[in-house]
Amino acid sequence: MLKKYIACLCSFFLLFSMTAASYAEPDDGVGQTIQIYTRFHTFVGRPSWLLVIRDVDHNQNIPYLFDIERGTNFWLAFTRGRNYLITISNLQFAPYKGMPYYNTRKINNFCHLESNGRIIRGESLYITIKGNLTPNTNTFTCYVSRYADSNFTIASPKAAE
């Protein structure tokens, strides 16, 4: 009786694991992308931007820290899965010269990118930021475009052969 029970349990486990594997998406290494393009005329202090992406499919937090420079900046942020959250988008100006001492200024939820619990499903982002970067949010503009991106590929070394 015990042998029949174990055999039934093993067959159920195999059937369940094969069914779950058939619904899984292939893991090609890159899911969605966030492309960031900036054009700043001036900025204050030494700004840096912390962007933390929560990959829901792989249960990972992916931090990105961008040091901003004058002129044009271009960055790419990747996720491994198709579904993600933007949990943190903070811009920090350090040091920021204020009277009578140096202090740090911060913009939380920079460009209103934080998802606030809403999962972004199968969409990539293209972000353009222009203007003068200061702690006053009226001196720059953020444009966020969303688009369905099912196939962003990065050439592998085998493709170059």
Side-chain angles (χ1 to χ4, degrees):
M1 180 71 173
L2 184 62
K3 289 182 181 180
K4 288 182 182 179
Y5 179 72
I6 292 174
C8 182
L9 188 63
C10 288
S11 63
F12 176 74
F13 177 73
L14 287 173
L15 178 66
F16 177 73
S17 64
M18 289 178 5
T19 304
S22 66
Y23 289 113
E25 291 185 22
D27 186 14
D28 57 0
V30 177
Q32 302 304 124
T33 60
I34 299 174
Q35 300 176 47
I36 304 164
Y37 173 76
T38 67
R39 185 164 205 57
F40 296 122
H41 304 291
T42 61
F43 58 81
V44 295
R46 283 184 235 132
S48 59
W49 183 9
L50 175 64
L51 184 69
V52 178
I53 301 169
R54 173 83 178 149
D55 185 344
V56 178
D57 297 336
H58 295 91
N59 199 25
Q60 292 180 330
N61 289 322
I62 307 166
Y64 290 94
L65 184 62
F66 304 113
D67 289 325
I68 297 174
E69 298 178 5
R70 280 188 182 83
T72 302
N73 298 282
F74 182 75
W75 302 295
L76 283 174
F78 296 101
T79 66
R80 286 183 52 213
R82 301 285 181 216
N83 305 306
Y84 63 97
L85 299 159
I86 298 178
T87 57
I88 298 173
S89 177
N90 290 340
L91 183 70
Q92 180 173 317
F93 300 88
Y96 180 75
K97 187 176 181 180
M99 296 302 278
Y101 54 88
Y102 288 91
N103 57 11
T104 301
R105 298 290 171 111
K106 187 185 241 185
I107 299 175
N108 294 318
N109 196 7
F110 182 60
C111 289
H112 304 287
L113 291 176
E114 293 179 12
S115 302
N116 297 320
R118 189 183 71 77
I119 297 173
I120 302 169
R121 299 182 187 277
E123 291 181 334
S124 290
L125 302 177
Y126 185 80
I127 303 164
T128 304
I129 310 167
K130 296 180 180 180
N132 299 318
L133 191 59
T134 68
N136 181 0
T137 57
N138 294 329
T139 60
F140 59 88
T141 55
C142 296
Y143 302 100
V144 179
S145 300
R146 295 175 183 258
Y147 59 96
D149 183 16
S150 59
N151 271 336
F152 185 88
T153 57
I154 297 176
S156 65
K158 292 179 182 178
E161 294 175 358

